[in-house]
Amino acid sequence: MPPAAIDTTSQLTSAGVSSALSKTAHSLTNGANGVSGVQLAELDASRITSTYTASPRPVPVPGSPEIAAQNICTDHMITAKWTVKEGWHAPALQPYGPLSLMPTASCLHYATECFEGLKLYRGYDGKLRLFRANLNAARMLNSATRIALPAFAPTELLKLIMKLCATDGPKWLPKDEPGSFLYLRPTMIASDPALGVQRPNEALLYVILTCFPRLDAPTIGADGSPQGMKLLASGDDTIRAWPGGFGHAKVGANYGPSLVAQGEARKAGYNQILWLFGDNCEVTEAGASNFFVVWRTRSGATELVTAPLDRKIILDGVTRRSVLQLVRERLSESTENVQGLDIVERNIQMDEIVQAAGDGRLLEAFAAGTAFFISPVQEIHFRGTDIRVPMTAGEAGPYTKQIKTWLSDIMYGKEHHEWGIVVEEQS
Amino acid sequence: MPPAAIDTTSQLTSAGVSSALSKTAHSLTNGANGVSGVQLAELDASRITSTYTASPRPVPVPGSPEIAAQNICTDHMITAKWTVKEGWHAPALQPYGPLSLMPTASCLHYATECFEGLKLYRGYDGKLRLFRANLNAARMLNSATRIALPAFAPTELLKLIMKLCATDGPKWLPKDEPGSFLYLRPTMIASDPALGVQRPNEALLYVILTCFPRLDAPTIGADGSPQGMKLLASGDDTIRAWPGGFGHAKVGANYGPSLVAQGEARKAGYNQILWLFGDNCEVTEAGASNFFVVWRTRSGATELVTAPLDRKIILDGVTRRSVLQLVRERLSESTENVQGLDIVERNIQMDEIVQAAGDGRLLEAFAAGTAFFISPVQEIHFRGTDIRVPMTAGEAGPYTKQIKTWLSDIMYGKEHHEWGIVVEEQS
């Protein structure tokens, strides 16, 4: 496993979640922050204090414009402060509201900030579920320490996430609306009120829960048929990430610098940038999602191909990882109806995609991530050429559709699976 | 001039500052932010409102620990809000204090933030001066638009900077303490309370003025003699910037990801990282400063060498530019006492420095930037080798010393020069 990969020792399952969530003695805080000889407090979800809102807010109607605007949060948030001298303070569940930061705060100048994105699902069996949230918590630890933010035991973050979901989930994801979800955003920022360019001495971890639109639903084209994503391949003057950089970490620094290119792509009618790397135009990510293609090789094999993690220039996506695991378990053998998929993690050059499309060997392509879930790609514009990806009646191809259905069934409790972590609701 | 370079049309001089500060009709706001057909308000310093503090704070004593902590700001700050619908709101001079940001604010997640660093000097002639602040204002525009933050006329930002200096300078830089300075930090952050990964719809520009320690003063070694900077060359697993990235822009995303390496360097006894790039270990920046060497070539010429701007992986430093201009004007011809310097902007490989040091041809090295001013380098540790840079009795070599003196004389009004912009003080 490359160093960028998620720590699989924290792969909690639904069944094992209670025992595994017992406090682990990580003692990470001291080691990672350079204060030796002092026992600093660890992040400890059991010390949480709760203050409930006196002004509960209305839940927006499904499909309303506020949801598309991505600016409605639920009634509460969780915060936990850290200082280099004392370690982690007791976390607090409190009413959602503004943060007060000094204008000198490190995170406002030096991008000392990282985050996670995951969803809380209201299942068809009436239960609330997270999907492999243990992987998000572990990745957040990797991201935080990449930018000199404090370490913590991922299981403690997971407990805080579950506490917020247990509190606000029942109201904001009503039982009579199965198939709906909210978006969780654990965030950590350096809050030092001092301009020195140095490791932060203060930080704030917080978790918020927001209304979020479905981004994987196909848009409807001018002819009334559903449309897949249209991607614009990045030019050679804009590179998202580089070996030795931080493209594998979910840190703020990967996003702001991508927005100009993304804005230009949208203006030109594309949904996202397809980020390329190197002289051979290797495909890395689609927007902020991982990218997959399904093609037939010249020797007749059918492959599911995605970029590898070894150069640390792409995110080790939870959806990416889940797609690979499911295909390995369920789609690698040919059946009567379906040809088995060979899984290949390697650098894909744009020329290979162009050739496969030209030969009629390009079968499907999709973006995979939490926000966009599994979104079929219909077109890639690369240096003056439009590459069309076949779509069945404007919808995802059969492999993409099958993978998406399996994942969705686990998320919404149609299939009981260890990846679906049930959240006990607070009454 | 490469695209990364500062717009020299805004090179204001002391003499020309009043006329050049007249409002320019840039109309940048509309163009850069994609709202067409609507006349948005430009940043306009003349619309400023002023609210003075009712609780003025004490000025720390020179040399006190609060100054070293870099967390004391002056009594006031300037803020200006921008929205995509209206453009720039009227700026406000107001008491220094915390900002209120929603937990969803773009700058806390996506590093949609940029800044500038410059100093306000109390001259030996009793006057307050900025040093080429027009270049900082122009660079801030470049940085802002690189990360999809709104455009503005740099001259308006310069007027806001001067307003803050005029207000707080008289008290915080007393006339009876010539040779002192404060540090200015113009900052822009995206304040959108929405999690969408997209061009910001709201932003806040602010300018603060802080007490700042002298970082160019030599530290005193164990033997009581002054010490130059000790630099640790970066390993090949960490790079600061890459072509097609944003290393030339003063955006937050260049800083947070550098802090782990910097923290390790400090723990190992070094002052800063010397950032290398590429298979040939080319020298780019020293910490957050530009890097210069003076060496003798094998053919006997004496060269001042620094990395070029063309790949856009280093900052187009105001101090860097000023060093090059002064040396070109004043040190390029040999005199009776001094051999003239050839100026060379090109990639320097570490092997060349190692060889020059081994041959006795490495004469001087220094870091150049606003925070560290001109700081002589005494040692570079590169892959197991300590490269010693000659220092005269532990102090800067003669070229470094001469350059530093010239710059300092302009900053503190010992030499009247167009680069020194006098700030009229508000009584």
Short mmCIF file of all heavy atoms in Angstrom, two decimals, chain A residues 146 241-248 311-313, chain B residues 237-239 242 257:
data_model
loop_
_atom_site.label_atom_id
_atom_site.label_comp_id
_atom_site.label_asym_id
_atom_site.label_seq_id
_atom_site.Cartn_x
_atom_site.Cartn_y
_atom_site.Cartn_z
N ARG A 146 -0.54 16.35 6.57
CA ARG A 146 0.21 16.81 5.39
C ARG A 146 0.44 18.32 5.43
O ARG A 146 1.39 18.81 4.84
CB ARG A 146 -0.54 16.41 4.11
CG ARG A 146 0.07 16.92 2.81
CD ARG A 146 1.45 16.35 2.55
NE ARG A 146 2.10 16.92 1.36
CZ ARG A 146 2.74 18.07 1.34
NH1 ARG A 146 2.84 18.80 2.43
NH2 ARG A 146 3.30 18.51 0.21
N ALA A 241 -1.94 18.97 -10.01
CA ALA A 241 -1.08 18.42 -8.96
C ALA A 241 0.18 17.85 -9.58
O ALA A 241 0.24 17.65 -10.80
CB ALA A 241 -1.82 17.34 -8.19
N TRP A 242 1.17 17.54 -8.75
CA TRP A 242 2.50 17.17 -9.23
C TRP A 242 3.11 16.21 -8.22
O TRP A 242 2.86 16.36 -7.02
CB TRP A 242 3.34 18.46 -9.33
CG TRP A 242 4.62 18.34 -10.08
CD1 TRP A 242 5.79 17.87 -9.61
CD2 TRP A 242 4.85 18.72 -11.45
NE1 TRP A 242 6.75 17.93 -10.60
CE2 TRP A 242 6.20 18.45 -11.73
CE3 TRP A 242 4.04 19.28 -12.45
CZ2 TRP A 242 6.79 18.68 -12.98
CZ3 TRP A 242 4.63 19.53 -13.69
CH2 TRP A 242 5.98 19.24 -13.96
N PRO A 243 3.90 15.24 -8.66
CA PRO A 243 4.57 14.37 -7.68
C PRO A 243 5.42 15.20 -6.71
O PRO A 243 6.11 16.13 -7.13
CB PRO A 243 5.46 13.47 -8.55
CG PRO A 243 4.81 13.49 -9.91
CD PRO A 243 4.22 14.86 -10.05
N GLY A 244 5.32 14.86 -5.43
CA GLY A 244 6.01 15.66 -4.41
C GLY A 244 5.14 16.79 -3.89
O GLY A 244 5.53 17.51 -2.98
N GLY A 245 3.97 16.95 -4.48
CA GLY A 245 3.03 17.98 -4.04
C GLY A 245 2.03 17.38 -3.04
O GLY A 245 2.40 16.62 -2.16
N PHE A 246 0.73 17.70 -3.26
CA PHE A 246 -0.25 17.33 -2.25
C PHE A 246 -1.59 16.96 -2.88
O PHE A 246 -2.64 17.03 -2.25
CB PHE A 246 -0.42 18.46 -1.24
CG PHE A 246 -0.40 19.83 -1.89
CD1 PHE A 246 -1.55 20.38 -2.41
CD2 PHE A 246 0.79 20.52 -2.04
CE1 PHE A 246 -1.53 21.60 -3.05
CE2 PHE A 246 0.83 21.75 -2.69
CZ PHE A 246 -0.33 22.29 -3.19
N GLY A 247 -1.54 16.55 -4.17
CA GLY A 247 -2.77 16.24 -4.90
C GLY A 247 -3.56 15.09 -4.31
O GLY A 247 -4.75 14.96 -4.58
N HIS A 248 -2.91 14.26 -3.49
CA HIS A 248 -3.58 13.11 -2.88
C HIS A 248 -4.31 13.49 -1.60
O HIS A 248 -5.08 12.69 -1.07
CB HIS A 248 -2.54 12.04 -2.56
CG HIS A 248 -1.54 12.49 -1.54
ND1 HIS A 248 -0.65 13.51 -1.78
CD2 HIS A 248 -1.30 12.09 -0.27
CE1 HIS A 248 0.10 13.71 -0.70
NE2 HIS A 248 -0.27 12.86 0.22
N ARG A 311 1.83 7.94 -7.54
CA ARG A 311 2.51 9.23 -7.64
C ARG A 311 1.94 10.27 -6.68
O ARG A 311 2.41 11.40 -6.62
CB ARG A 311 2.42 9.76 -9.08
CG ARG A 311 3.32 8.98 -10.03
CD ARG A 311 3.39 9.67 -11.38
NE ARG A 311 2.08 9.72 -12.03
CZ ARG A 311 1.90 10.07 -13.30
NH1 ARG A 311 2.94 10.40 -14.06
NH2 ARG A 311 0.71 10.08 -13.85
N LYS A 312 0.89 9.88 -5.98
CA LYS A 312 0.25 10.78 -5.01
C LYS A 312 -0.28 12.07 -5.64
O LYS A 312 -0.28 13.11 -5.00
CB LYS A 312 1.21 11.10 -3.85
CG LYS A 312 1.61 9.84 -3.08
CD LYS A 312 2.69 10.11 -2.05
CE LYS A 312 2.13 10.51 -0.72
NZ LYS A 312 3.14 10.44 0.36
N ILE A 313 -0.70 11.99 -6.89
CA ILE A 313 -1.26 13.19 -7.52
C ILE A 313 -2.77 13.11 -7.66
O ILE A 313 -3.39 14.04 -8.17
CB ILE A 313 -0.59 13.52 -8.88
CG1 ILE A 313 -0.80 12.40 -9.89
CG2 ILE A 313 0.89 13.81 -8.70
CD1 ILE A 313 -0.29 12.76 -11.29
N ASP B 237 11.05 14.20 -2.29
CA ASP B 237 9.66 13.83 -2.06
C ASP B 237 8.78 15.04 -1.81
O ASP B 237 7.57 14.90 -1.62
CB ASP B 237 9.57 12.86 -0.88
CG ASP B 237 10.17 13.46 0.39
OD1 ASP B 237 10.99 14.40 0.27
OD2 ASP B 237 9.82 13.00 1.48
N THR B 238 9.34 16.24 -1.78
CA THR B 238 8.54 17.44 -1.49
C THR B 238 8.97 18.56 -2.40
O THR B 238 10.12 18.99 -2.34
CB THR B 238 8.72 17.91 -0.03
OG1 THR B 238 8.62 16.79 0.84
CG2 THR B 238 7.66 18.92 0.34
N ILE B 239 8.06 19.04 -3.22
CA ILE B 239 8.38 20.22 -4.02
C ILE B 239 7.40 21.32 -3.64
O ILE B 239 6.28 21.06 -3.20
CB ILE B 239 8.32 19.95 -5.53
CG1 ILE B 239 6.94 19.43 -5.93
CG2 ILE B 239 9.40 18.99 -5.96
CD1 ILE B 239 6.75 19.43 -7.41
N TRP B 242 5.31 23.90 -9.19
CA TRP B 242 5.60 23.22 -10.45
C TRP B 242 5.08 24.06 -11.61
O TRP B 242 4.16 24.87 -11.44
CB TRP B 242 4.93 21.84 -10.45
CG TRP B 242 3.46 21.88 -10.17
CD1 TRP B 242 2.45 22.05 -11.08
CD2 TRP B 242 2.82 21.76 -8.90
NE1 TRP B 242 1.23 22.04 -10.44
CE2 TRP B 242 1.44 21.85 -9.10
CE3 TRP B 242 3.30 21.57 -7.59
CZ2 TRP B 242 0.51 21.79 -8.05
CZ3 TRP B 242 2.38 21.50 -6.56
CH2 TRP B 242 1.01 21.60 -6.80
N PRO B 257 1.06 23.78 2.55
CA PRO B 257 1.72 22.52 2.22
C PRO B 257 3.23 22.52 2.45
O PRO B 257 3.86 21.48 2.38
CB PRO B 257 1.39 22.33 0.73
CG PRO B 257 0.12 23.10 0.53
CD PRO B 257 0.28 24.31 1.41
#
